[in-house]
Amino acid sequence: MEDTPFTLIEASAHCDGPCGVYDPASARVAGEAVQSMTKKMLALEYPQVFSSESMASYLNTMSRYAAIKEEEAQKCKKELLVLWTDFFKPMHLEAHPELHDTFWQAAKLCSACKVEVSAQHAQELMDAIESIHNMFWSIKGREVPWIRAS
Amino acid sequence: MSLVRVQISGDSMWPTFPNGSQFELIDCTFDELNLGDVVLAQHPFHSDVQMVKRIQSFSNRTVFLVGDNPDPLASEDSHNFGAINEEAILGRCEPIQA
């Protein structure tokens, strides 16, 4: 039987939609913005001259940092959830049994970074995104280095 | 009569048949097909795509095809493109034991 000549047909067994159009980079950029805003909030010094004008400027700057941190943390969580629920499939758990816990912790860190001004949690979020980056590209069979924009 | 083998590309038949699995294509009539058979079928929306799926149900000379992957996003099948006509079934796929 093995020696019998045969014609080989390539057939599709693919998923729905544009499978393959995913990249953890979008979560990484949002995560970096969260970390950057967190650092800026912690570094912002109270005005030395107390006046209506200086307080307005201080509060405006702090408010803008907080607003961006909030928005980017939410964006980061959304990007992570899309990766988790749409890209990763049950068979990927075989090679990465830590997959679900990593995403769960990363999503919780997004929430923590929203409600806190925590440099520690911002760094832990970036660490979790790096783990997801490594799992993602391992599954894609490509070596893509972890590079930060900031 | 020459043998025809089918090799799948993708994970929609995982875990039963992972990416790269091969089958022998068996020529058969529509009435010889059974529920649960794995078949090679013509994609209804893409003339250049043939696919391997499993028959979930029959209805009025049409078949509802599904993948084996339990993830609802892992298989483009009759959940997306609907039941297909009997003419689109190109044969039954018998797995080749590794």
Side-chain angles (χ1 to χ4, degrees):
Chain A
M1 180 77 173
E2 283 301 315
D3 297 330
T4 307
F6 59 86
T7 304
L8 186 64
I9 295 175
E10 187 82 12
S12 170
H14 280 290
C15 59
D16 176 38
C19 59
V21 190
Y22 298 97
D23 194 329
S26 50
R28 189 258 301 158
V29 171
E32 283 194 63
V34 171
Q35 188 174 39
S36 174
M37 291 305 112
T38 300
K39 288 178 178 175
K40 285 179 182 291
M41 290 176 77
L42 291 171
L44 191 65
E45 295 180 1
Y46 204 70
Q48 293 180 343
V49 178
F50 186 83
S51 66
S52 297
E53 189 175 328
S54 64
M55 280 306 295
S57 295
Y58 173 80
L59 290 173
N60 181 59
T61 302
M62 184 65 88
S63 300
R64 292 191 68 241
Y65 291 164
I68 294 170
K69 177 173 71 69
E70 182 89 9
E71 182 181 329
E72 294 295 326
Q74 187 63 32
K75 189 189 298 181
C76 185
K77 188 196 281 187
K78 180 186 174 188
E79 296 291 347
L80 290 171
L81 293 180
V82 168
L83 276 179
W84 189 11
T85 57
D86 293 3
F87 172 76
F88 287 97
K89 303 288 191 301
M91 61 272 194
H92 299 144
L93 286 167
E94 292 178 335
H96 301 283
E98 76 283 16
L99 188 152
H100 285 331
D101 193 57
T102 303
F103 270 101
W104 187 39
Q105 296 300 333
K108 288 212 169 281
L109 284 163
C110 289
S111 301
C113 288
K114 277 160 60 87
V115 301
E116 301 170 344
V117 188
S118 169
Q120 179 186 338
H121 281 156
Q123 181 57 50
E124 287 175 6
L125 173 60
M126 290 307 298
D127 293 342
I129 296 171
E130 184 176 0
S131 297
I132 289 164
H133 166 98
N134 292 331
M135 283 191 284
F136 178 88
W137 289 111
S138 161
I139 287 166
K140 298 280 278 186
R142 291 170 56 184
E143 286 192 23
V144 175
W146 169 252
I147 297 174
R148 294 180 51 128
S150 56
Chain B
M1 179 174 150
S2 65
L3 292 175
V4 177
R5 285 187 178 183
V6 180
Q7 177 169 293
I8 58 173
S9 169
D11 295 309
S12 74
M13 296 303 286
W14 181 92
T16 323
F17 304 111
N19 178 39
S21 296
Q22 288 194 5
F23 304 82
E24 185 178 345
L25 187 63
I26 308 296
D27 191 25
C28 64
T29 66
F30 185 77
D31 293 324
E32 291 173 324
L33 294 171
N34 296 301
L35 288 179
D37 281 352
V38 176
V39 294
L40 178 70
Q42 179 64 49
H43 194 293
F45 303 152
H46 302 287
S47 59
D48 58 340
V49 174
Q50 296 175 339
M51 56 195 172
V52 169
K53 303 290 175 186
R54 192 180 295 279
I55 297 176
Q56 185 179 73
S57 62
F58 293 97
S59 178
N60 298 325
R61 310 298 288 185
T62 67
V63 290
F64 195 91
L65 299 177
V66 296
D68 283 357
N69 196 311
D71 189 304
L73 298 179
S75 175
E76 182 178 22
D77 52 33
S78 288
H79 292 104
N80 310 102
F81 50 67
I84 64 169
N85 292 323
E86 62 177 300
E87 295 81 14
I89 303 293
L90 304 174
R92 191 172 70 243
C93 292
E94 291 290 335
I96 296 172
Q97 303 299 326

